[in-house]
Amino acid sequence: MTDEFQYRDGILHAEDVPIPEIAKAVGTPFYLYSSRMFAANLGAFQSALSGIDHLVCYSVKANSNVAVLRLLGNLGAGMDVVSGGEYVRARAAGIPGDRIVFSGVGKTRDEMAAALGGGIRHFNVESEPELRLLSEVAESHGTVAPIAIRINPDVDPGTHEKISTGKSGDKFGIPVSRVRDAYREAGQLPGIRVVGIDVHIGSQVMDLAPFRRVFRLLADLTRVLREDGHEIRRIDAGGGLGINYRPAEDPAPSPAEYCALLADTLGHLGVEIDVEPGRFISGNAGVMVSSVLYRKTGEARDILVLDSAMNDLLRPAMYGAYHEIEPVIAPAENGRTSAVDIVGPICESGDTFARGRELPQLSDGDLLVFRSTGAYGAVMASGYNSRPLIPEVLVNGEEFFVIRARIPVEDLINRDIVPEWLTAS
């Protein structure tokens, strides 16, 4: 795949812009995205599905900045949302309702009403109680809700337990054993119109075998449901295709390989196929740029204390996730390296990005980048320790744009409300 973060004359660039130039203008830490990489990653799916009636619905939860959504929407992407807030973001980015799919296990009455009023491609329904409530809400608004029922296929995707969504113990979807009954009920509810089937087995899946099992199951289920009298004209195959966080990893399957499997297992059914990639489109399209605050002498090895922390990039603390970490200024060829621990300033031992990572000699003020942070980076950030949310920057060729400014600490404080009885003299 395209990599727009490359060294030129010893300086790491984002597309055609030197990263130190952006750091000087914006200050560190910040997230940095490549327009070209977003476009190339989306285009890989669109090209691979070109012979099939399809829609690529970008998974908004991976990176929900409105500028990113607008960029992808302008290139023809739909959106997969999992909350009312994400729905509002997608509409604010100019995405029409008929290109928005609403997923998630806990949709509220108000969220359902907002999506029905603003336009929706379909709801991915995850339980029988949700199905009944959605029918009630749709009826009360004088409309019907297009739905696909999300099945839980009890397929192990072979990924981290916290991002597995298709096993029998996971909270997502309706078990296959109850699916025919759920569709029978859906067909009898006045506010519901069945349009398809949905599945999603997890995230960061690095092997096609679990997908093959679940797609074959979908094909069999489609035939059964059609025999039961249901119109199944759309299959939402979910997302989950992994990316390479470590250069030494076996390469993740490509969109071409994944989509060829879709065509082979589902292409004969005469259905429209929706896919919901998130991480694959945005993950490698972004980096986080940080500065070294201190090089601290540790007992076993030196410690690099950065100005970024777990509140800015949660994945290492939450999942034990690995990110490649590189200096912005290329080290001298055959220069000395040493193993260091890389940590943030938060008062938690979990605020550790890496242990024993081999890096060139770095000093206070030197810039580092964390690779593959375009997905589940900025969206999972918080104001823990009253640390302001950091900027997001989008590069387009020779230009860069701040698409989310640094949130001042005063804005965090001003959200708090002190009751009058605490301020009375």
Side-chain angles (χ1 to χ4, degrees):
M1 300 299 293
T2 302
D3 182 7
E4 292 290 344
F5 299 99
Q6 299 279 354
Y7 289 101
R8 299 185 191 176
D9 298 323
I11 301 173
L12 194 62
H13 283 57
E15 297 190 9
D16 301 320
V17 184
I19 289 179
E21 178 182 322
I22 304 173
K24 182 177 180 181
V26 176
T28 58
F30 62 93
Y31 281 101
L32 179 61
Y33 310 132
S34 162
S35 298
R36 292 174 186 165
M37 291 184 72
F38 280 121
N41 294 342
L42 172 62
F45 271 96
Q46 291 172 326
S47 297
L49 289 167
S50 59
I52 302 172
D53 189 10
H54 73 276
L55 181 65
V56 179
C57 292
Y58 169 69
S59 183
V60 171
K61 68 178 182 287
N63 185 321
S64 63
N65 190 288
V66 172
V68 170
L69 305 186
R70 175 69 69 121
L71 168 65
L72 296 172
N74 287 352
L75 295 170
M79 300 287 150
D80 168 54
V81 305
V82 295
S83 72
E86 287 188 352
Y87 179 85
V88 172
R89 279 183 173 272
R91 297 293 284 130
I95 311 301
D98 61 5
R99 278 164 43 195
I100 301 175
V101 173
F102 203 141
S103 303
V105 299
K107 307 176 193 71
T108 67
R109 179 185 295 270
D110 288 345
E111 288 174 329
M112 293 172 178
L116 287 166
I120 195 71
R121 182 174 180 82
H122 69 259
F123 293 89
N124 286 327
V125 171
E126 304 227 15
S127 68
E128 293 91 343
E130 179 193 333
L131 185 65
R132 295 163 199 146
L133 178 60
L134 181 58
S135 177
E136 178 189 321
V137 173
E139 254 203 304
S140 71
H141 285 75
T143 187
V144 293
I147 67 108
I149 289 179
R150 178 173 178 173
I151 68 166
N152 184 313
D154 193 19
V155 170
D156 186 348
T159 188
H160 193 285
E161 63 177 8
K162 292 184 179 179
I163 50 177
S164 169
T165 62
K167 295 187 293 186
S168 62
D170 297 330
K171 68 180 182 180
F172 301 94
I174 294 177
V176 172
S177 61
R178 299 209 313 265
V179 163
R180 291 180 74 184
D181 289 341
Y183 271 94
R184 187 177 300 113
E185 181 175 3
Q188 297 170 351
L189 289 170
I192 296 297
R193 175 166 56 90
V194 172
V195 298
I197 310 173
D198 170 56
V199 72
H200 178 63
I201 59 172
S203 187
Q204 187 56 14
V205 181
M206 299 291 282
D207 182 3
L208 289 179
F211 290 125
R212 183 176 293 107
R213 289 196 295 275
V214 78
F215 295 162
R216 286 174 175 168
L217 175 61
L218 286 177
D220 292 340
L221 188 56
T222 296
R223 286 190 289 270
V224 169
L225 291 173
R226 283 174 170 172
E227 290 171 0
D228 287 348
H230 302 290
E231 181 185 16
I232 304 297
R233 57 186 175 86
R234 179 179 303 154
I235 291 180
D236 187 332
L241 193 62
I243 64 173
N244 286 89
Y245 285 97
R246 300 173 185 257
E249 283 177 328
D250 290 334
S254 69
E257 293 169 316
Y258 172 82
C259 294
L261 178 61
L262 279 170
D264 181 59
T265 53
L266 304 175
H268 63 288
L269 296 172
V271 293
E272 178 187 54
I273 295 178
D274 289 358
V275 293
E276 299 170 356
R279 185 191 312 265
F280 192 93
I281 289 175
S282 61
N284 287 329
V287 300
M288 184 177 72
V289 183
S290 304
S291 295
V292 177
L293 291 177
Y294 309 107
R295 187 181 186 102
K296 177 179 175 180
T297 301
E299 191 68 26
R301 52 186 169 257
D302 284 0
I303 299 170
L304 295 183
V305 183
L306 308 186
D307 59 359
S308 57
M310 62 185 283
N311 75 296
D312 304 311
L313 177 62
L314 183 59
R315 294 189 72 253
M318 184 170 183
Y319 304 121
Y322 179 97
H323 290 272
E324 280 291 296
I325 302 172
E326 301 174 351
V328 168
I329 305 302
E333 193 171 343
N334 300 320
R336 182 178 164 226
T337 65
S338 61
V340 294
D341 293 346
I342 303 170
V343 307
I346 278 180
C347 292
E348 299 276 358
S349 295
D351 187 24
T352 298
F353 294 117
R355 293 190 183 278
R357 191 70 64 89
E358 199 73 24
L359 283 175
Q361 295 301 299
L362 295 167
S363 303
D364 303 357
D366 286 344
L367 298 175
L368 292 171
V369 297
F370 288 71
R371 289 274 194 163
S372 305
T373 56
Y376 306 108
V379 287
M380 296 179 77
S382 74
Y384 185 44
N385 278 195
S386 293
R387 290 172 52 85
L389 296 177
I390 65 176
E392 294 175 89
V393 179
L394 181 65
V395 173
N396 184 38
E398 297 180 347
E399 300 179 285
F400 67 90
F401 307 85
V402 176
I403 58 174
R404 184 185 74 186
R406 193 179 306 277
I407 307 298
V409 68
E410 290 78 14
D411 285 3
L412 297 179
I413 295 171
N414 289 338
R415 293 184 303 181
D416 299 348
I417 300 173
V418 179
E420 289 185 9
W421 58 268
L422 286 176
T423 59
S425 56

